[in-house]
Amino acid sequence: RQFASNIRLMEKDIRGLKLADETFMATCQQVLGSDLPRVYDFGEDGHVHAVGALDTIGRGTKMEDLQKVQIELSQGLEQDVLTPMKQWLFAWSTVQERLKELEEMRIEVDSRKRQVFALRQDEGKHKEAIDRAKSERTKKDKTKKLEDTWRKQQRKDAKLASATATYQSLESEVLEELAGLIRDAVCLKSYLAAC
């Protein structure tokens, strides 16, 4: 979680860097396109005249090249740094949702295990009651309760097996996704180097 939080902060910083770069390049274009100060001198006719030709600070700078560099820089940051970081963060949020599902499934499996355990204890109590029964009618009643408990236990065992299989499948998927995120997190250095 801390790592994801750090990546979110870095993404925010890189977005700030991208905006600063775009602002810097736009300002450079304005400055380089500005006129140089003019020198004025008195002419022979007694009037003030500009000396030399009008020129810009950037003297011959190709503004379209600066615009091209600005676009390439902005697109490069977006494609090579911000997009992979966004994808990683999206994958992280997806895994977090899956972890919540996994936790809910674990709670369900634990609940079903407790139900099956309770039914097995009831089965043992019914068997003891049958052994202690003195009359045939009592034995018959206790045997019917034992059979009902067995049927109920079979249904609960089937549901437990299904829930356990679903849990294990989801758990392996989430673990695989987490391992992928960890592998992808190693690429963070390359994102920052590209930045």
Side-chain angles (χ1 to χ4, degrees), residues 58-98:
R59 288 186 189 157
T61 301
K62 295 179 183 174
M63 292 302 167
E64 51 279 349
D65 287 348
L66 281 179
Q67 289 171 346
K68 188 177 174 183
V69 167
Q70 177 185 354
I71 291 169
E72 286 176 9
L73 178 63
S74 185
Q75 288 176 345
L77 276 174
E78 190 66 41
Q79 291 172 351
D80 298 336
V81 180
L82 292 171
T83 298
M85 289 177 105
K86 279 191 274 184
Q87 289 170 343
W88 191 93
L89 288 169
F90 177 76
W92 169 248
S93 64
T94 302
V95 168
Q96 281 185 308
E97 290 300 317
R98 303 267 308 205

Side-chain angles (χ1 to χ4, degrees), residues 85-139:
M85 289 177 105
K86 279 191 274 184
Q87 289 170 343
W88 191 93
L89 288 169
F90 177 76
W92 169 248
S93 64
T94 302
V95 168
Q96 281 185 308
E97 290 300 317
R98 303 267 308 205
L99 283 170
K100 288 177 187 174
E101 289 176 37
L102 184 64
E103 181 61 18
E104 290 171 8
M105 184 59 78
R106 185 195 61 78
I107 290 170
E108 181 183 343
V109 167
D110 287 347
S111 172
R112 292 192 183 282
K113 283 180 182 178
R114 284 191 298 276
Q115 290 173 352
V116 168
F117 180 74
L119 287 171
R120 287 189 179 139
Q121 286 183 327
D122 288 348
E123 177 187 346
K125 289 177 186 176
H126 290 308
K127 285 180 181 177
E128 289 174 10
I130 290 171
D131 291 341
R132 284 183 277 138
K134 305 233 189 247
S135 71
E136 282 300 314
R137 177 159 173 79
T138 307
K139 275 188 180 185

